[in-house]
Amino acid sequence: MPNQPAPARRALLKLLAASPAASALGGLAAAPAHAAPAAPGIVKALPAEYFTVRGTNAEARFDSFADTGLLTPNDRFFVRNHTATPVLDAADWRLTLWGDGLHGRAPVHFTYGQLRDLPSVTRTALIECAGNGRSLYASQQGEPVAGTPWTLGAVGAARWRGVRLSDVLRRAGIARDAVALQPRGLDDPYVSGGVDYGRVRRPLPVAKAFDDVILAYEMNGEPLPYDHGYPVRLVVPSWVGIASIKWLGDIEVSTRPLGSPWTTDWYRLFGDAHPAGGGEPITRQTIKSAYQLPFGAALEAGRVHRLTGRAWSALAPVRSVEVSTDGGAHWRHARLLDTPRRDGWVRWSVPWRPHATGPVTLLSRTTDTAGNTQPERAVHNTQGYLFNAVVRHPVTVV
């Protein structure tokens, strides 16, 4: 296999031997041969009807969610990689906690089996890249941004099973004066512009860690897929996706604030609307809604179409969704198909019978129970994070 990256070669060889499920269950399940990588650095198949490959990443096609339930199937979940998916063996894996924020300051280790022996919790939560919707700054607002040009598919919902990070920290002997953690992944160091930034890592306040963060080892009832953090990842509900470190290897526990390039160079807001030198590192995601319909879709005039979509907010549960089928001149409420919950999204639908042919701009906007509503424009930042504006969705009536 000439020119195939080493991680991809390792992925193929190991997948032919065993899947994550096989590792977790003692090698009882063999992976199918078609599980070979579909793109360099990504293990799972990436069929064009479900994904758009963007460098080391794979964006889910938002319109493909129309035939799924509240949970995003593992094989359709977006992939955000800084380098390449590592193929790890749970039998060899261990988590190390270290730092001056531990009693005695000696490193503490947990094996995969020891984690699975701890009391488990199950939590349904979205994971959403901070840059989801980034391309809309340019295409919709005419404002240049840097970074992967995501549309709206860098998001997914899953049922995560694992252990509370707080339980692990207590067992490791966290000190009362510890204030910050720095989880770090086991993927290859990230190199850009000739600079080696090391492995992906990002500080997390102890207060958030003790709130709702889990060390997940299952996703939608299955062992984590390789691309989604096998054998163990963090899940940090409501925060930007970079906080949910995949392929977790170690956690520094500190009595002092911590930093990394993922809080100094990236994942901060820079630009005219923000403080000189950049704002504070971003934490929570924002509020969004979208139609489960391709941009530019053709819809037949004179018949009733059931328009569907999803709405979500990291700030509070969704309260309502309004839609416009005339570019914002008139609005009406969509029907919510799910009970709104914290850290999740809701599906919605609305009937529409278009009469005149020609181009139409569809809009949708979410309001949550805290009173947050999608604005007409998102506040620009140079790296294109936290796009939250009402999306202008073009279709053509024929």
Side-chain angles (χ1 to χ4, degrees), residues 71-238:
L71 302 180
T72 308
N74 294 356
D75 63 353
R76 299 202 203 179
F77 213 96
F78 82 101
V79 179
R80 169 65 173 109
N81 283 356
H82 280 76
T83 54
T85 295
V87 176
L88 306 174
D89 189 335
D92 299 329
W93 176 90
R94 70 176 182 175
L95 172 66
T96 299
L97 286 84
W98 60 279
D100 67 3
L102 296 179
H103 291 302
R105 302 191 177 186
V108 179
H109 308 288
F110 293 85
T111 66
Y112 185 74
Q114 286 171 329
L115 275 189
R116 292 194 68 107
D117 286 341
L118 295 177
S120 68
V121 293
T122 301
R123 191 159 285 145
T124 298
L126 294 173
I127 300 287
E128 182 178 9
C129 180
N132 195 29
R134 175 182 283 127
S135 67
L136 298 173
Y137 278 106
S139 64
Q140 183 166 298
Q141 300 188 178
E143 297 170 317
V145 292
T148 302
W150 303 108
T151 54
L152 293 167
V155 61
R159 182 174 293 119
W160 311 95
R161 180 169 175 251
V163 301
R164 294 179 182 89
L165 178 53
S166 58
D167 289 348
V168 172
L169 290 169
R170 289 189 184 99
R171 287 175 179 264
I174 188 171
R176 288 190 176 184
D177 56 349
V179 298
L181 313 174
Q182 180 126 270
R184 180 168 55 173
L186 290 170
D187 42 340
D188 290 337
Y190 176 59
V191 179
S192 178
V195 178
D196 186 339
Y197 292 97
R199 286 176 166 162
V200 176
R201 61 203 184 280
R202 194 170 195 263
L204 184 69
V206 166
K208 176 64 173 176
F210 271 77
D211 179 20
D212 56 3
V213 179
I214 67 171
L215 302 173
Y217 45 72
E218 287 185 8
M219 179 179 181
N220 292 331
E222 301 174 358
L224 288 174
Y226 290 121
D227 294 304
H228 300 295
Y230 182 80
V232 175
R233 70 172 297 164
L234 278 189
V235 172
V236 184
S238 78

Side-chain angles (χ1 to χ4, degrees), residues 298-305 352-355 357 396-398:
L299 301 175
E300 184 180 347
R303 55 164 292 198
V304 176
H305 299 273
W352 179 44
R353 184 197 294 270
H355 298 289
T357 59
T396 300
V397 179
V398 296

